[in-house]
């Protein structure tokens, strides 16, 4: 990695978009086994039986503490901290001066000790929080932090915690076998349980559109805990989920994992001098504009408006209040037309220039996958994460879409780059095509199973 800052890289290339479209950054990193059986059956497990997802390795963690920490976080986040306390987690977000999203992550409040809080997620938001913590430390504020990169970046050192996600319609039966009952923990609250004689923290939430728990504790306890979970789930068809299947789980839960960060204006000038260019990520997809602002999202564009509370002062509050009064876009799922998907695959095995390769189960060719969504040739939104879900036999993507485009509308996702970027992840010989897609809610489950399939 180079020590060049993001500000220096933009000055060298002359344009932030051109920098990010051509930057060689891995589209996604999941440093766990790709498949335990096969990714199709592993996907089906969280919808039909019960699945375990190992989240110990792929996320960055920022351990936080200090008496001045909450006021500092409150100043850069629309989230309320009025009732935040030990035993609770929240989906933390941050915005720029104009109310556009920097990123999101899960903030766990484990206890009141020095590292009692930990922010988990991709590095996008974590880097911004870390920058503000370091500034506060330099001013003599009582804040503490420790960065723990994901396992791919960290090398052979074990993470602090194991994290196992237990999900699926049979997950409650597994827990009943372990304890004789289901832990009474409210949504996004953290309970204390025991598994295999080990003390375990249990966060109640859901991934992949299914209810469940995230269990975590000291990494050394992980093997005993996961063995006990597997034994308790044997009769219910419990399945370990590898990296390929796990990478597609946001499509079912409706969570956009890597939103494009709005860090390009004057209020982030100092941050761009601090941030290494290599951590800025890369843009992939058919969305092309030389104006970096065209790639930005508001919290409401991606369904994160529930995290916004105007009960305190924070950076970007005035602009976000205006956006909240009349959001222009909303988060949706786009269900891709089967014939058009098949046509892309077919183009790979027939003469002529093929469409851009469409991978299974995920099709992401930049850290920020950004594809145009059009209606009658007019831009009406941006498609982000795209992939295939075996349980429903559907190719789909998460998108933000103009509010005046209703559910059930057929729109076009533009697939392929023009001009073609120089990223090694993108095949240099391909042509753009349009994929018809039906607008559905996010998450999409009820719509797809009761309406979309009925109209096939």
């Amino acid at each position: 990695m180079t020590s060049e800052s993001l500000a220096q890289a933009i000055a060298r290339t002359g344009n932030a978009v051109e920098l990010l479209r051509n930057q060689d950054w891995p589209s996604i990193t999941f440093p766990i086994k790709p498949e335990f059986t096969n990714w199709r059956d592993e996907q089906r497990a969280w919808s039909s039986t019960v699945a375990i997802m190992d989240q110990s390795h792929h996320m960055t963690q920022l351990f936080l503490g200090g008496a001045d920490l909450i006021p500092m976080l409150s100043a850069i986040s629309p989230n309320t901290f009025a009732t935040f306390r030990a035993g609770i987690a929240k989906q933390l977000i941050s915005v720029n001066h104009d109310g556009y999203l920097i990123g999101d992550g899960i903030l766990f409040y484990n206890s009141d000790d020095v590292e009692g809080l930990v922010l988990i997620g991709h590095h996008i938001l974590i880097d911004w929080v870390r920058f503000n913590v370091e500034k506060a430390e330099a001013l003599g504020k009582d804040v503490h932090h420790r960065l723990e990169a994901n396992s791919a970046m960290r090398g052979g050192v074990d993470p602090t915690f194991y994290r196992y996600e237990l999900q699926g319609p049979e997950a409650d039966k597994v827990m009943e076998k372990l304890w004789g009952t289901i832990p009474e923990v409210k949504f996004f609250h953290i309970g204390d349980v025991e598994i295999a004689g080990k003390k375990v923290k249990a966060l109640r939430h859901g991934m992949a559109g299914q209810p469940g728990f995230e269990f975590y504790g000291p990494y050394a306890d992980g093997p005993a805990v996961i063995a006990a979970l597997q034994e308790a789930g044997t009769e219910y068809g419990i399945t370990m989920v590898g990296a390929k299947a796990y990478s597609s789980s946001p499509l079912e839960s409706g969570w956009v994992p890597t939103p494009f960060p709005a860090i390009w204006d004057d209020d982030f000038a100092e941050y761009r001098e601090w941030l290494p260019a290599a951590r800025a990520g890369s843009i992939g997809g058919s969305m092309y504009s030389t104006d970096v602002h065209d790639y930005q999202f508001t919290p409401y564009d991606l369904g994160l408006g529930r995290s916004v509370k105007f009960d305190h002062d924070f950076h970007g509050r005035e602009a976000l209040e205006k956006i909240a009064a009349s959001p222009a876009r909303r988060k949706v799922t786009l269900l891709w037309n089967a014939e058009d998907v098949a046509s892309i695959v077919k183009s790979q095995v027939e003469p002529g220039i093929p469409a851009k390769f469409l991978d299974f189960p995920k099709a992401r060719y930049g850290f920020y996958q950004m594809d145009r969504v059009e209606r009658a040739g007019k831009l009406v939104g941006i498609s982000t994460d795209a992939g295939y879900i075996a349980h429903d036999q559907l190719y789909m993507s998460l998108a933000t879409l103009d509010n005046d485009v209703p559910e059930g509308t057929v729109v076009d996702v533009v697939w392929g780059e023009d001009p073609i970027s120089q990223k090694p992840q993108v095949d240099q010989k391909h042509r753009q095509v349009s994929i018809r897609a039906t607008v559905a809610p996010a998450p999409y489950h009820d719509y797809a199973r009761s309406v979309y399939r009925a109209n096939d």
Side-chain angles (χ1 to χ4, degrees), residues 45 49-51 233-239:
T49 54
V50 60
T234 298
E235 66 182 282
Y236 306 110
I238 198 164
T239 300

Side-chain angles (χ1 to χ4, degrees), residues 56-61 147-154 159 279:
S56 309
H57 298 283
H58 71 281
M59 291 292 188
T60 302
Q61 301 190 94
L147 180 69
E148 185 172 279
N150 70 33
S151 293
M153 300 287 188
R154 197 175 59 251
R279 290 181 71 83

Side-chain angles (χ1 to χ4, degrees), residues 254-265:
W255 172 59
V256 176
T258 54
F260 186 78
I263 57 174
W264 314 103
D265 293 328

Side-chain angles (χ1 to χ4, degrees), residues 24-35:
D24 181 8
W25 175 271
S27 55
I28 194 66
T29 302
F30 286 93
I32 60 174
K33 189 174 180 178
E35 296 170 290

Side-chain angles (χ1 to χ4, degrees), residues 283-361:
I283 296 173
S286 62
M287 180 69 186
Y288 182 71
S289 168
T290 57
D291 186 350
V292 71
H293 299 88
D294 291 339
Y295 295 80
Q296 297 180 158
F297 303 106
T298 76
Y300 299 94
D301 292 344
L302 300 182
L304 295 171
R306 62 184 181 278
S307 294
V308 176
K309 296 290 185 291
F310 297 110
D311 62 353
H312 64 293
D313 290 327
F314 59 86
H315 186 71
R317 173 175 172 165
E318 183 178 352
L320 197 55
E321 283 183 308
K322 294 177 181 177
I323 292 169
S326 184
R329 286 180 171 172
R330 73 198 189 279
K331 180 177 66 174
V332 301
T333 305
L334 300 179
L335 306 177
W336 291 17
N337 179 274
E339 291 181 359
D340 292 349
V341 171
S343 178
I344 292 173
V345 176
K346 183 182 177 185
S347 76
Q348 310 297 322
V349 293
E350 62 185 8
I353 297 175
K356 188 176 77 169
F357 188 75
L358 186 65
D359 211 350
F360 286 67

Side-chain angles (χ1 to χ4, degrees), residues 213-270:
F213 275 90
E214 178 179 316
F215 299 113
Y216 64 100
Y219 188 74
D221 293 346
V225 170
I226 200 167
L229 289 171
Q230 289 175 309
E231 182 180 354
T234 298
E235 66 182 282
Y236 306 110
I238 198 164
T239 300
M240 284 293 299
V241 172
K244 284 188 175 181
Y246 179 75
S247 70
S248 63
S249 62
L251 294 169
E252 296 203 54
S253 66
W255 172 59
V256 176
T258 54
F260 186 78
I263 57 174
W264 314 103
D265 293 328
D266 290 345
D267 54 328
F268 277 74
E270 186 181 354

